[in-house]
Amino acid sequence: MKMKKIVTMALAGVMALSVFSGAAMGAETWPEKTINFACTHGAGGDTDYMARLLARKLEEKVGQSVVVNNVTGSNGAICMTEYKDGDTDGYTFVLTNSAALTGNEATGLSDFGWDAFEPVAIYGKQSGENILVPADAPYNTLEELIQASKDAPGEINFGISTGGGVYIASVIMAHAAGAEFNVIDAGDAAERLTSLLGGHVDATIAPYSSAKEYIESGDLKTLCTLLEESPDLLQDIPTANTTGCEELVMNTLYVCLAPKGTDAAIVEAANAAIKDIVDNDTEWKEEVNSFCFQEPFCLTVEETKTELENQRTLFMSYAEYLQ
Amino acid sequence: MIAEGFASVMLDPFVILLIAIGVVVGIIFGSIPGLTATMAVVMFLPVTYTMTSTQGISMLVALYIGGISGGLISAILLNIPGTPSSVATCFDGRPMAEKGEAGKALGTGVIFSFIGTVLGVLILIVISPVLASVALKFGPFEYCALAIFSLSLVITLTGKDMVKGLISAVLGALLATVGLAPIDSKPRFTFGIVNLTAGFKLLVLLIGLFAITEVVKYAEGVRKPENFTIEGNVKIKGVGFSLKEFIRGIPNAIRSTLIGVGIGILPGIGGGVSCMISYTVAKNTSKHPEKFGTGIMDGVIASETANNATIGGAMIPLLSLGIPGDAVTAMLLGGLMVHNVSPGPLIFQKSGSVVYGVFFSMLIAAVFMCVFMLLGMRGFIRVLNIPKNYLLPIIVVLCCVGAIGDSNRLFDVWGVLIFGIMGYALIKAKIPLSPMILGFILGPTFESNVRKVSQLISRDSVFSHPIFCVFILVTAVVVVISLRSNKREREALSKEKQ
C-alpha cells in the first residue's frame, strides 16, 4: 500500500515536472511548428486584411508558416466562442477587432468578454468610424447635428445597424448628449453609405476608408471621427469627444488573442515578435499608412489588457440600453 | 487611360496566364456541386494580395466568370446545380440530357453564358454611372416591392400545383429566419446553440436539397439494372445546335441579359434569383409555355444568359459606388481596396487604367471560358459514363468539403444531411424544391426591408415612391395572368383525361 503511494507520488512528480519543463521549453523554442490564426471576420474586410498582413510578416520573422482560417458569423461571436477554450499549446490565436470583442458582450451576442482569453497584443488602429452627412447639409460639427435633432425631435433619420458598434454610438449620443434622432436600421457599412447617398437617411456612421471616395468627390462630409484621437494621417478630422459628445469614444483596435490557459511565457514571446514587426518593419508601416491612415501601433500584454478593460467599462455602462 | 488599361492586360503575358488559370479553376469550382465561385474567390483572394492590382483583380474576375459558368455542367449532366446561379438551368437542361441532347444543352449553355457575360460587361462599360444612380434610388420601400414581385413568380415557377409551390417557398423563408434577426439582432430558433446564431447558409441548403436528394433518389433504384452507356454516347457537331436555333434564341437572350443585369445592379439579390426570374419571364412570354420543363433550349438560354449577365450587373455598383452586390463582389471590393483602388465616384479619375484593365480582363475571361468549355464539352459528357455508384459518393464527399469550406464549421455538414433528408421527404410529397431557394433568399430581403419601412412610414408615404407603386401594380398583373394561365392548364389537363 505504502509502496503504491510512493510510486504514485513519484509518477505525479515526474508528470508535473515534465509539464513544467515542457512549458518552459515551449516558450524558449516557440515557435516550432505551424501557427494557426482564426480570424473572426471574412476575407475582404479590414480585420481579415490586418490578420493576413500580420500572418505574412510573422511567417517571415519566425520562420514557421502561419495559416489564417476565417471562422465567420455573428460579428465574430461564433469564432470566439469556439476558440476561447481552444488549444492552449501556443500555436492557436484568434485575430479580431476590439469593437467586436467588447461590443458583442455589451449587446448580449456573447456571454463573455476579453478575459475569456489570454490577450496577446493590440497591433493596430482602424481608420476610424466617422459621422457622415451629405455635403450640402446645414450642420458642420457633431454639436450642430445634435442641436438640430433637438430642435426638430425625430425629424433627422440616423442610419445605424442594430447590435454593432455603430448602434452603441447612437445609444451613447442619445443618452449622453440628448440627441433625438429617428434612429433607423440601414444595414451594414456599405448599405448605410448607399442609404445616405440615396437620401434614405440624413446622417450615418461608416469607416473612413469606405467613405473616403465620397468625401473627396464632395458628395459627403465627415463631421468627426469616433476614435479617441484623430487618425495620425488625417489630423484635420476632429474627434467626437471634443466636438459635441464627450462620452462618445470608440476605438476600433486590431487584437490578437490566445485561448484561456495558454502559457504566459508563450504569450509574451508572441507579443515580442508582433511588437518587433509593428515597430520596426518598413513594409508594415507602408501598408498600415495606406490602409488604415494610421501609424503603426502596438501595445504590450499588460497595456492590451488595460485598453480592453477600458473599452469594456465604457460599453458595459450602456449595456442596459443595448440588450 | 483606355489604352493604358488595354496594355496592362494584353501586353503582360503573366496577366493573360492568370486569367486562363482563373477561368479553369473557376469552371472546376463551379462545376463541382458544393464548391462555388465564391469559394474560388475566397481561396485566391489572399494570393492576390502580393500581386499588382491589375494582375490580382484580373485573376479574381476570371475566377468569378469561370465559377458562374461552370455551374451549368453539373446542372445539365447530374441535375445538381453546381452553384446557386444554375438552379434554373436544371429545369430544362436535365430533361434535354435525358432525351439524349446533353451535348446540345451544354453547347447552348456555354454559348449563351458567353453572350450573357459579354453583353453584361458591355452594359457595364457603357452606362455604368447611369445605372449606378438607379441602384441608389432603391431604398427599403423599393426593395420590399421587388421582393414581393420576385416571390410572386413562385406561382409561375410551380405551374399546376400552386399550393405545393407556396408551401415550399414559405418553408424556405422560415428556414431563413433561423439565426440573428435583421434590425434587432435578436436570436431566433437558435435553442441556445451558438452555431445556429449565424443561421443556415444558402450553399448548405442548396447542396442538401439538390445534391443529397439526387443521390438518395438514385439509391432508391439501385437494384434495377441500368444501362450507363446510352446517355454518354452523345455525338456533338460543332457547338451542338444550328444557326437557325441560335437566331431564334436571340430575343430571349437579350431579354434575359437585361433581367440579369437589372438584378445584378441591386445589391443583395444575386444570380440565384436572376436565373429563376429570367426563366419564369421566358416561360410567361413564350408562345408555348407548356413546353418549359420538358427540355427545350429556351429554358437553358434564359437561365444561363441571365446568371452570367448578373456578373456585369453586380460589377456596376461595385465599381461606381463601392457597394458589393453579393458575396463574390464583396470580396472583390476587399481585393480592390488592398491594392489602393477605392471604388466610388472617383474611380475613373483616380484608377482609370486599372478599371479599364478589369473590363478587358472580363472580356478575355469570357472568351477563355467559352473556348475551354466548348473544348471540354466532350470530356464533361463522359462523366455520365462513370458508374453512378462511384460518381455519387465522390460528389457527396465534395459537397461536404464545400459545406465545411464555406465558413470552416463541421456544423454545416449536419445541415447538409438534414436538408437532404428534408428535401427527399418533400420530393416524395411532390413539393417542388426550387421555390424554397427563392423563399430562402428573398424572405430575409423582404423582412429586413419591411421592418425598415415600418421605422420610416410615420413620416413617409408609399405614394412618394413611384418605383414601389409600379412594382406592386406589376405584381398584381403578373399574379392575375399566372393564375389564369395555370387555370387554363389545369382545365386542358382535365379535358385530356376525360
Side-chain angles (χ1 to χ4, degrees):
Chain A
M1 199 63 191
K2 218 175 186 182
M3 193 60 197
K4 213 174 179 184
K5 211 171 184 179
I6 291 169
V7 172
T8 319
M9 288 281 279
L11 269 174
V14 169
M15 269 164 71
L17 240 157
S18 65
V19 166
F20 182 76
S21 63
M25 262 176 67
E28 263 165 41
T29 54
W30 182 90
E32 298 180 292
K33 56 174 187 178
T34 303
I35 300 171
N36 290 303
F37 274 12
C39 179
T40 53
H41 289 73
D46 58 333
T47 308
D48 172 71
Y49 179 71
M50 291 299 284
R52 286 184 191 273
L53 183 62
L54 183 65
R56 184 152 59 83
K57 286 281 144 196
L58 198 61
E59 207 168 88
E60 284 171 23
K61 186 173 161 55
V62 301
Q64 293 288 348
S65 13
V66 182
V67 179
V68 183
N69 270 316
N70 300 89
V71 183
T72 56
S74 308
N75 194 24
I78 288 188
C79 178
M80 287 189 254
T81 308
E82 194 176 321
Y83 281 90
K84 73 180 163 61
D85 309 314
D87 223 336
T88 57
D89 59 357
Y91 293 91
T92 306
F93 297 94
V94 175
L95 280 288
T96 185
N97 68 68
S98 61
L101 179 60
T102 44
N104 286 348
E105 188 188 9
T107 56
L109 202 52
S110 306
D111 53 5
F112 54 86
W114 65 266
D115 50 0
F117 295 92
E118 307 289 349
V120 176
I122 281 174
Y123 66 97
K125 297 185 208 171
Q126 200 202 31
S127 60
E129 301 277 353
N130 279 231
I131 296 184
L132 303 161
V133 294
D136 55 4
Y139 13 82
N140 289 309
T141 64
L142 178 60
E143 198 175 2
E144 288 171 20
L145 176 66
I146 291 175
Q147 190 55 48
S149 78
K150 288 179 185 165
D151 295 343
E155 288 293 324
I156 296 177
N157 288 329
F158 197 96
I160 51 120
S161 82
T162 321
V166 174
Y167 178 53
I168 301 176
S170 76
V171 168
I172 296 178
M173 279 193 283
H175 288 278
E180 297 190 54
F181 298 119
N182 181 29
V183 175
I184 63 167
D185 192 288
D188 63 25
E191 290 177 85
R192 293 199 298 276
L193 271 180
T194 324
S195 302
L196 184 61
L197 291 166
H200 309 292
V201 297
D202 302 307
T204 192
I205 300 177
Y208 178 81
S209 48
S210 312
K212 181 176 136 240
E213 294 300 303
Y214 294 100
I215 296 170
E216 287 176 15
S217 69
D219 289 316
L220 301 179
K221 63 184 174 189
T222 169
L223 298 184
C224 59
T225 173
L226 303 188
L227 293 175
E228 194 174 2
E229 290 162 5
S230 305
D232 301 323
L233 308 182
L234 300 166
Q235 284 295 322
D236 50 342
I237 301 179
T239 58
N241 59 351
T242 56
T243 57
C245 185
E246 209 181 308
E247 292 81 357
L248 185 52
V249 174
M250 203 175 311
N251 281 326
T252 309
L253 306 168
Y254 302 107
V255 197
C256 176
L257 305 164
K260 192 81 185 168
T262 303
D263 184 11
I266 291 184
V267 169
E268 285 297 341
N271 180 282
I274 294 172
K275 200 159 171 29
D276 184 46
I277 293 167
V278 175
D279 290 346
N280 301 319
D281 192 282
T282 48
E283 197 201 341
W284 178 276
K285 182 175 152 67
E286 279 167 28
E287 294 280 348
V288 171
N289 281 169
S290 70
F291 193 77
C292 307
F293 306 94
Q294 296 278 15
E295 291 300 341
F297 178 77
C298 189
L299 297 180
T300 63
V301 176
E302 282 313 309
E303 288 166 345
T304 300
K305 286 180 183 167
T306 315
E307 178 62 41
L308 290 175
E309 187 54 34
N310 288 345
Q311 278 202 21
R312 181 194 211 171
T313 314
L314 173 71
F315 284 10
M316 289 311 276
S317 64
Y318 293 94
E320 56 174 310
Y321 309 112
L322 296 170
Q323 288 180 4
Chain B
M1 212 147 41
I2 297 174
E4 223 177 291
F6 183 74
S8 71
V9 176
M10 292 308 254
L11 302 181
D12 186 347
F14 187 55
V15 173
I16 305 279
L17 178 70
L18 285 175
I19 295 175
I21 294 173
V23 169
V24 172
V25 173
I27 293 173
I28 294 171
F29 269 71
S31 61
I32 295 176
L35 307 185
T36 60
T38 317
M39 246 176 259
V41 176
V42 170
M43 267 184 61
F44 280 85
L45 179 63
V47 179
T48 65
Y49 283 173
T50 48
M51 299 179 187
T52 70
S53 49
T54 308
Q55 287 166 353
I57 307 298
S58 298
M59 179 159 202
L60 294 178
V61 293
L63 285 163
Y64 188 15
I65 291 174
I68 296 288
S69 311
L72 69 93
I73 300 172
S74 47
I76 291 171
L77 296 179
L78 301 170
N79 201 24
I80 304 172
T83 68
S85 302
S86 303
V87 172
T89 311
C90 297
F91 300 166
D92 273 294
R94 179 59 191 173
M96 280 179 86
E98 278 166 0
K99 284 196 287 185
E101 295 180 334
K104 187 176 173 185
L106 284 175
T108 310
V110 172
I111 294 294
F112 283 94
S113 285
F114 172 73
I115 292 175
T117 313
V118 171
L119 290 181
V121 173
L122 290 180
I123 292 175
L124 162 70
I125 297 174
V126 180
I127 45 172
S128 159
V130 184
L131 290 177
S133 64
V134 174
L136 283 183
K137 291 221 167 62
F138 269 71
F141 284 94
E142 288 75 14
Y143 273 109
C144 251
L146 178 70
I148 295 172
F149 169 72
S150 309
L151 283 170
S152 75
L153 295 177
V154 169
I155 299 173
T156 319
L157 204 59
T158 50
K160 295 172 290 275
D161 212 340
M162 193 179 76
V163 176
K164 286 186 172 164
L166 293 178
I167 290 175
S168 174
V170 168
L171 211 52
L174 275 177
L175 284 174
T177 59
V178 175
L180 298 180
I183 316 293
D184 55 15
S185 297
K186 287 275 174 287
R188 292 189 295 205
F189 307 116
T190 57
F191 305 103
I193 302 168
V194 71
N195 271 314
L196 278 176
T197 58
F200 298 113
K201 301 275 156 61
L202 173 62
L203 178 73
V204 172
L205 181 67
L206 189 82
I207 297 172
L209 286 188
F210 290 93
I212 303 299
T213 53
E214 197 60 30
V215 174
V216 179
K217 253 196 309 194
Y218 175 76
E220 205 176 58
V222 79
R223 292 194 180 280
K224 291 176 212 148
E226 194 186 346
N227 193 343
F228 294 114
T229 48
I230 296 175
E231 276 186 300
N233 283 341
V234 186
K235 293 220 169 57
I236 315 167
K237 260 199 256 159
V239 293
F241 56 93
S242 68
L243 187 67
K244 208 171 131 200
E245 286 171 311
F246 174 75
I247 292 169
R248 236 191 356 241
I250 288 178
N252 184 355
I254 291 173
R255 186 184 53 233
S256 304
T257 300
L258 295 178
I259 293 171
V261 172
I263 297 288
I265 293 169
L266 301 172
I269 313 278
V273 174
S274 83
C275 69
M276 279 195 257
I277 290 187
S278 168
Y279 182 88
T280 48
V281 171
K283 185 179 171 184
N284 275 342
T285 53
S286 168
K287 287 189 198 100
H288 40 77
E290 71 285 352
K291 282 192 189 156
F292 274 77
T294 61
I296 57 169
M297 267 177 75
D298 291 352
V300 177
I301 294 174
S303 171
E304 280 305 315
T305 317
N307 65 21
N308 278 70
T310 305
I311 299 173
M315 293 295 283
I316 292 173
L318 173 71
L319 292 175
S320 45
L321 297 171
I323 297 159
D326 56 16
V328 177
T329 42
M331 275 171 303
L332 287 178
L333 178 65
L336 287 164
M337 288 177 58
V338 162
H339 288 112
N340 284 324
V341 179
S342 306
L346 301 178
I347 190 169
F348 283 93
Q349 282 104 301
K350 290 170 80 178
S351 320
S353 65
V354 178
V355 177
Y356 284 108
V358 172
F359 291 162
F360 285 115
S361 307
M362 291 180 81
L363 293 175
I364 295 171
V367 174
F368 277 157
M369 179 275 289
C370 189
V371 173
F372 292 158
M373 299 256 288
L374 286 178
L375 287 178
M377 231 158 69
R378 286 156 185 81
F380 301 148
I381 291 180
R382 296 238 174 83
V383 168
L384 295 178
N385 288 333
I386 303 174
K388 290 233 170 82
N389 47 342
Y390 295 126
L391 182 66
L392 294 178
I394 295 173
I395 289 177
V396 171
V397 170
L398 287 171
C399 283
C400 293
V401 170
I404 294 179
D406 194 52
S407 48
N408 280 322
R409 303 187 299 172
L410 194 63
F411 170 79
D412 287 324
V413 178
W414 288 104
V416 167
L417 184 71
I418 290 164
F419 288 135
I421 295 168
M422 183 187 79
Y424 185 68
L426 292 177
I427 287 179
K428 285 287 146 191
K430 295 215 162 56
I431 292 176
L433 299 179
S434 42
M436 199 184 288
I437 299 291
L438 269 186
F440 189 82
I441 301 173
L442 292 167
T445 309
F446 177 70
E447 189 199 347
S448 67
N449 283 296
V450 91
R451 291 178 73 173
K452 285 176 195 170
V453 164
S454 71
Q455 293 171 323
L456 287 165
I457 197 104
S458 58
R459 30 183 71 80
D460 203 351
S461 153
V462 290
F463 296 109
S464 57
H465 295 272
I467 301 176
F468 174 87
C469 298
V470 169
F471 263 120
I472 295 296
L473 271 178
V474 172
T475 308
V477 172
V478 168
V479 168
V480 170
I481 292 177
S482 330
L483 284 178
R484 277 176 57 187
S485 84
N486 282 353
K487 200 178 156 200
R488 265 205 304 276
E489 243 177 89
R490 256 201 318 274
E491 279 168 2
L493 214 74
S494 59
K495 247 180 220 161
E496 262 174 49
K497 272 184 193 161
Q498 281 165 6

